[in-house]
Amino acid sequence: MNRISILNTTIDNLAMNDTLEVIQEAIAKNEQIHHVVVNAGKIVALQNDTQLRQSVNESDVINADGQAVVWASKFLGKPLKERVAGIDLMVNLVRFAHKQRHKIFFFGAKEEVVKKVVEIYSEQYSSKIIAGYRNGYFKREEEKDIAKQIANSGANILFVAISSPTKENFLYENKSILGNVNFIMGVGGSFDVVAGKVKRAPLWMQKSGLEWFYRFIQEPKRMWKRYLIGNSKFIVLVLKEKLFKNSKKV
């Protein structure tokens, strides 16, 4: 895979179809892939959070989830093919699991949300794709037991819908316990979208890089700091890297 390196992180230059092929091949070979996505906010966070940076950069496949990251890659002369949104990848893999008779474990969100996600996918496809589910509320000392529960469920795929950096660190620290699960991935707030708790932006806003603004409008009190301050910090990081790159040429 062709990886680029920007802003203290590495990102695989993969389109959606490329990513799906890599994952499907790994499952066919009974191998494990630890997957992660990065957006502007996560890249800002990992500048000072060394544990998160390690959890991200040592993953097997790293996709650019945010359109801002794709734009930054082009501005910095290392263009990525396209944005691979985590929720779109998850939806594609649920469909793939149904076709290939694989099983999925859904871990995260509130109890009523994850239960609703399982109900929706069981009705849309089949309950046979469900290896198990669990809400995302737990104590640190419970992590190993949760990982063992998932590993013993017979799941081929694991989706973790917990906020950063908890989900990245959980997967990184427990991937040996989860060794028989072929694909492990953090999906953030995707369960809330599938369950209908949060609306996703229209397609034109997604393509225009305005999905963050649509989310901000829905939950301004909770999201203003993440998006307005976080996006401003991301722009500063990109400009600094551009200036540093140009100064090295002189």
Side-chain angles (χ1 to χ4, degrees):
M1 293 185 291
N2 180 23
R3 279 193 163 181
I4 70 163
S5 179
I6 60 171
L7 306 170
N8 289 322
T9 188
T10 52
I11 306 172
D12 292 302
N13 194 9
L14 299 172
M16 176 64 78
N17 288 339
D18 302 327
T19 305
L20 288 168
E21 286 180 11
V22 170
I23 296 166
Q24 290 166 10
E25 183 178 350
I27 294 177
K29 293 180 178 179
N30 198 30
E31 298 173 346
Q32 186 190 70
I33 283 188
H34 174 200
H35 177 277
V36 71
V37 295
V38 291
N39 54 24
K42 194 176 297 183
I43 287 177
V44 169
L46 63 75
Q47 301 306 308
N48 297 313
D49 188 334
T50 54
Q51 185 180 9
L52 175 61
R53 189 188 311 168
Q54 182 180 35
S55 297
V56 169
N57 287 336
E58 293 189 19
S59 300
D60 300 306
V61 176
I62 307 170
N63 283 134
D65 179 88
Q67 189 61 42
V69 178
V70 177
W71 287 341
S73 72
K74 294 177 180 178
F75 181 68
L76 295 172
K78 301 176 181 180
L80 292 166
K81 291 180 180 180
E82 65 179 15
R83 174 195 183 201
V84 180
I87 185 169
D88 293 331
L89 181 59
M90 184 184 82
V91 170
N92 277 316
L93 286 172
V94 173
R95 187 183 303 117
F96 166 73
H98 173 61
K99 290 180 179 178
Q100 299 298 319
R101 298 182 180 180
H102 296 316
K103 290 185 176 293
I104 305 169
F105 196 102
F106 296 86
F107 172 36
K110 294 180 179 179
E111 180 71 20
E112 63 268 24
V113 171
V114 66
K115 189 175 181 181
K116 183 67 174 179
V117 170
V118 168
E119 289 174 356
I120 288 171
Y121 282 138
S122 294
E123 184 177 340
Q124 186 176 354
Y125 296 107
S126 167
S127 60
K128 293 180 180 179
I129 68 168
I130 310 299
Y133 68 92
R134 189 196 190 284
N135 67 58
Y137 294 84
F138 56 92
K139 296 177 182 178
R140 174 74 174 175
E141 57 267 26
E142 296 179 285
E143 286 193 6
K144 300 298 181 187
D145 288 337
I146 293 170
K148 289 175 184 176
Q149 176 193 353
I150 296 167
N152 293 333
S153 70
N156 306 98
I157 297 171
L158 166 64
F159 296 129
V160 181
I162 301 172
S163 60
S164 295
T166 304
K167 65 178 181 293
E168 288 84 4
N169 294 337
F170 173 85
L171 290 173
Y172 178 75
E173 292 171 4
N174 295 288
K175 61 183 175 182
S176 60
I177 296 175
L178 297 166
N180 61 334
V181 183
N182 301 120
F183 181 75
I184 58 177
M185 172 191 182
V187 295
S190 297
F191 289 4
D192 287 337
V193 177
V194 174
K197 185 180 178 182
V198 174
K199 291 183 179 179
R200 196 172 179 198
L203 190 59
W204 71 268
M205 293 189 81
Q206 295 176 38
K207 291 183 177 180
S208 301
L210 293 172
E211 192 164 12
W212 69 270
F213 185 67
Y214 190 83
R215 184 74 189 279
F216 167 71
I217 292 172
Q218 292 184 73
E219 299 180 278
K221 290 183 179 179
R222 193 165 78 89
M223 295 295 176
W224 74 270
K225 187 173 183 179
R226 179 193 297 185
Y227 289 132
L228 299 185
I229 295 178
N231 287 357
S232 298
K233 288 181 177 179
F234 180 73
I235 292 170
V236 171
L237 286 172
V238 173
L239 291 174
K240 282 183 176 179
E241 182 146 328
K242 183 73 170 181
L243 290 171
F244 178 73
K245 179 181 176 182
N246 289 340
S247 66
K248 286 182 70 176
K249 293 179 180 178
V250 177

